[in-house]
Amino acid sequence: MLVKWAARVVVLATAASAASTPRRSFLPPGSEPSEGLEDQTLYPDPRLFDDTLDALKVLQEAYFQPWVGTWPSAIDWTAAVMGSHIAGTLKSLSKGLEVLGRDQVEDFKKKENTISLYFSQLIGFYFGQDAFSLRNQAFDDMLWVVLGWLDTIKFIKEYSKTHYEANLRVADSTEPLHNQTWHGELWSPAFAHRARIFWHLASTGWDTKLCGGGMNWNPRLTPYKNAITNELYIAGSIAMYLHFPGDSNAAPFGVDYDPELPDTPTASEWAPRDPKYLAAAVKGYVWLASSGMTNDQGLYADGFHISGYKRGSNNTQCDQRDEMVYTYNQGVLLSGQRGLFEVSGRVEYIQEGHKLIQSVIRATGWNLGRNQPVDNLQGLFPGQLPPWHGLGRAGVLEDACDAAKKDHISACKSYLGWLKHNADAARRARNLEGKFGMWWTVGLLGSITTTNIQIGPDTLPKMDGAVDYRNKGVPNEPEWTGHPTRQSGVFDGIHGPGQRPMGESSNDGSSTFVTRGTIYPDPNDRGRGRTVETQSGGLAVLRALWELSKLR
């Protein structure tokens, strides 16, 4: 679940609106950084850019298979999320190469080759994506598809405009290479068509008979109005309004499609900036805001069941909340809030987004005012875990199972310390192949191994009313308790792989799990170990830090 939230934490920061609104602070009283901290800007660091590029390289070389056009170890919906991560990272890489300056990039051909390499893999994924299977899955799975291809269209549009618009001129027979847009634009209609198909399929999940509205999670199971499906509906709908370029492809109605028939959509219904997409986003947001989906910490719980539904009662109210809290339920909504603000200019959307971000940061055990963890991490004995704070510990995001423009940017910059703290933890959770683990916190706590973890009452999440298949604990099996014969080792901070004795640290304070003559089992090797999903999560947090570090 860590995969999505890290990617979404910078949605508000990377596209500040030009709308004119009264000046006001987005930080609540007591959250303002201490004197001097607000001026500590993390300017772009080339090493961070290199780390981001390396994370992308490992993700694609280790997990993507061009011959099938997908990440075979991913499931359908997580593969769709990979598409969003790749498209977003391509956008950051393109802009990052400009920020670093041409003197640090030998020539445009190398830059274009890098962009085209990963973009070609997105094209391959268009054909490798199991679109037929996804049409029959849950509504949230369908909406991940919508976001993935709209993110790709956004990248195509921005990259072409930045680098190829100058080529568009009156045709000149002596200059045959002019008058060409970027080749990626050829694929926008296909990507738009898939986004349109899946948005319309998913929109059938909206229901007013139960709970007064909201998206159902799955068309074939007991009604469940959950946070992620509704957040995706909001984010996907406003993205369709803002970025869908239109679609003239009549499929799936086939060659017998007749625009005169009353029951089949016409091409005009698939035009850009269609008000129905905006209306859907607003409708979804209003329902979610009034649904009571947030807990006492301001975090979104997983969703609502309807008590007595299986027994045939007449109850139609969402009155049985699943208290399980996941990271992705806190991040996806930010895209919707940012988009709604862009369209309406209503600063309340941005304020509510910042409120949610700050709730998440507090729930990791991070003090925004002091710009540091609330707990003393230096006082922990080997194997001791810091206290659980609701959505993480030690100031690092975890899942329980593992505005005026100036003020808006100022608030975003105040999150830099926390985001850098998470990125540093993630980098220390890499192995010698550059693969990220899922449990980032362990990167900061070098004494934690699978054999010495100390569990106490304050280190476990409170699970009352929460449903998750791992809530009853981790199985006492070798794949979860450790692999003594599996070589472990972590990346040495931001400077690359290294193996030093435990307790001997690099200049940046990092260490490894490797000590003299002994291999300590790495907690991130448990279960499935490092996966395509954990790699994309690492990529996402590095990209997030890179984007925020460019703010002025």
Side-chain angles (χ1 to χ4, degrees):
M1 305 307 178
L2 203 54
V3 171
K4 279 76 61 185
W5 198 90
R8 300 296 173 181
V9 74
V10 290
V11 170
L12 298 173
T14 55
S17 173
S20 176
T21 52
R23 286 202 60 195
R24 63 191 76 184
S25 173
F26 292 107
L27 288 168
S31 294
E32 293 84 354
S34 302
E35 185 176 355
L37 283 178
E38 67 275 8
D39 297 324
Q40 294 182 10
T41 303
L42 298 174
Y43 291 102
D45 185 341
R47 295 177 303 176
L48 175 57
F49 183 84
D50 291 342
D51 268 356
T52 304
L53 186 58
D54 182 70
L56 175 61
K57 180 180 179 182
V58 172
L59 174 65
Q60 294 304 91
E61 289 186 356
Y63 300 104
F64 187 80
Q65 295 295 328
W67 68 280
V68 290
T70 191
W71 304 263
S73 60
I75 58 178
D76 289 337
W77 76 265
T78 61
V81 176
M82 301 303 144
S84 277
H85 284 322
I86 299 300
T89 304
L90 284 177
K91 178 180 172 183
S92 294
L93 289 181
S94 175
K95 292 185 176 181
L97 289 167
E98 296 298 326
V99 169
L100 293 178
R102 288 186 180 271
D103 58 325
Q104 297 187 44
V105 182
E106 290 184 21
D107 53 51
F108 183 78
K109 287 192 298 184
K110 289 186 177 180
K111 172 184 176 181
E112 172 66 13
N113 188 54
T114 300
I115 297 296
S116 292
L117 167 65
Y118 296 116
F119 181 72
S120 71
Q121 293 172 342
L122 282 177
I123 296 173
F125 177 52
Y126 175 78
F127 296 100
Q129 187 173 56
D130 194 347
F132 182 80
S133 175
L134 279 158
R135 291 185 189 191
N136 297 284
Q137 295 182 26
F139 293 121
D140 57 341
D141 301 324
M142 299 177 192
L143 288 163
W144 285 118
V145 176
V146 175
L147 285 181
W149 294 114
L150 291 178
D151 283 340
T152 307
I153 290 170
K154 286 165 56 180
F155 162 69
I156 292 171
K157 186 186 304 181
E158 293 186 21
Y159 188 75
S160 185
K161 180 179 180 181
T162 300
H163 298 289
Y164 290 86
E165 197 171 69
N167 285 340
L168 301 179
R169 60 179 68 174
V170 177
D172 187 334
S173 59
T174 65
E175 297 181 90
L177 297 183
H178 286 294
N179 254 355
Q180 294 187 36
T181 59
W182 187 51
H183 68 85
E185 291 197 26
L186 174 68
W187 295 97
S188 286
F191 301 159
H193 178 67
R194 183 160 294 176
R196 188 265 296 176
I197 290 292
F198 274 85
W199 186 89
H200 280 270
L201 286 170
S203 66
T204 63
W206 184 266
D207 161 70
T208 57
K209 295 179 181 178
L210 301 173
C211 308
M215 286 284 291
N216 278 314
W217 167 54
N218 193 309
R220 289 167 295 280
L221 299 177
T222 300
Y224 185 46
K225 302 287 180 82
N226 61 344
I228 191 59
T229 307
N230 283 277
E231 291 177 2
L232 283 166
Y233 185 59
I234 295 164
S237 297
I238 196 62
M240 284 290 289
Y241 182 74
L242 287 169
H243 306 297
F244 175 62
D247 182 18
S248 60
N249 186 345
F253 297 100
V255 294
D256 295 328
Y257 168 74
D258 184 352
E260 300 299 324
L261 295 177
D263 295 331
T264 57
T266 64
S268 63
E269 292 187 59
W270 304 325
R273 291 278 176 160
D274 192 316
K276 69 171 172 281
Y277 300 127
L278 175 58
V282 172
K283 174 180 65 175
Y285 194 83
V286 169
W287 181 84
L288 184 64
S290 62
S291 67
M293 199 81 76
T294 53
N295 64 17
D296 293 341
Q297 288 184 282
L299 305 175
Y300 277 88
D302 195 58
F304 275 107
H305 293 283
I306 300 171
S307 63
Y309 186 87
K310 290 183 179 180
R311 299 189 298 274
S313 76
N314 294 324
N315 182 27
T316 62
Q317 300 301 310
C318 282
D319 57 358
Q320 190 172 336
R321 192 171 73 185
D322 182 347
E323 299 298 332
M324 195 69 197
V325 175
Y326 293 112
T327 53
Y328 74 162
N329 282 338
Q330 322 310 319
V332 172
L333 184 59
L334 299 178
S335 296
Q337 291 167 322
R338 175 64 184 84
L340 286 166
F341 172 60
E342 182 176 340
V343 173
S344 69
R346 289 182 52 196
V347 74
E348 290 83 2
Y349 289 121
I350 294 292
Q351 286 180 314
E352 290 162 8
H354 279 290
K355 181 180 178 181
L356 178 56
I357 291 173
Q358 291 151 25
S359 293
V360 170
I361 291 175
R362 282 193 299 271
T364 67
W366 183 265
N367 186 305
L368 266 177
R370 297 201 306 267
N371 207 31
Q372 64 185 37
V374 299
D375 300 304
N376 177 17
L377 304 184
Q378 306 304 316
L380 300 175
F381 56 79
Q384 182 182 9
L385 288 175
W388 180 257
H389 290 277
L391 201 59
R393 69 184 87 239
V396 180
L397 195 64
E398 284 186 29
D399 271 309
C401 60
D402 58 346
K405 180 175 178 180
K406 180 177 179 181
D407 289 326
H408 165 49
I409 293 178
S410 176
C412 288
K413 286 167 64 176
S414 73
Y415 310 145
L416 271 168
W418 175 77
L419 189 55
K420 183 179 184 300
H421 182 69
N422 276 258
D424 288 345
R427 284 183 289 201
R428 289 179 170 86
R430 292 177 294 183
N431 68 6
L432 297 177
E433 296 174 334
K435 296 180 178 179
F436 287 85
M438 181 172 69
W439 189 11
W440 295 350
T441 313
V442 78
L444 296 179
L445 311 173
S447 62
I448 297 290
T449 72
T450 56
T451 58
N452 73 354
I453 297 176
Q454 302 294 315
I455 303 297
D458 62 342
T459 63
L460 291 174
K462 301 297 186 292
M463 292 298 183
D464 294 340
V467 178
D468 187 274
Y469 81 111
R470 284 295 183 211
N471 283 1
K472 295 183 179 180
V474 175
N476 186 23
E477 300 168 357
E479 84 172 302
W480 289 100
T481 56
H483 299 265
T485 60
R486 179 184 293 182
Q487 182 174 355
S488 295
V490 297
F491 263 107
D492 171 21
I494 66 173
H495 300 296
Q499 294 186 2
R500 284 187 307 282
M502 184 69 72
E504 293 185 16
S505 301
S506 65
N507 292 334
D508 64 352
S510 66
S511 59
T512 72
F513 290 108
V514 183
T515 188
R516 294 181 179 87
T518 304
I519 303 295
Y520 282 84
D522 184 345
N524 272 307
D525 283 339
R526 295 178 300 171
R528 292 179 62 209
R530 291 167 166 84
T531 66
V532 61
E533 291 87 3
T534 65
Q535 187 67 24
S536 71
L539 171 63
V541 73
L542 292 178
R543 179 189 168 230
L545 180 58
W546 170 258
E547 289 291 338
L548 255 72
S549 70
K550 294 187 297 182
L551 293 178
R552 294 291 187 270

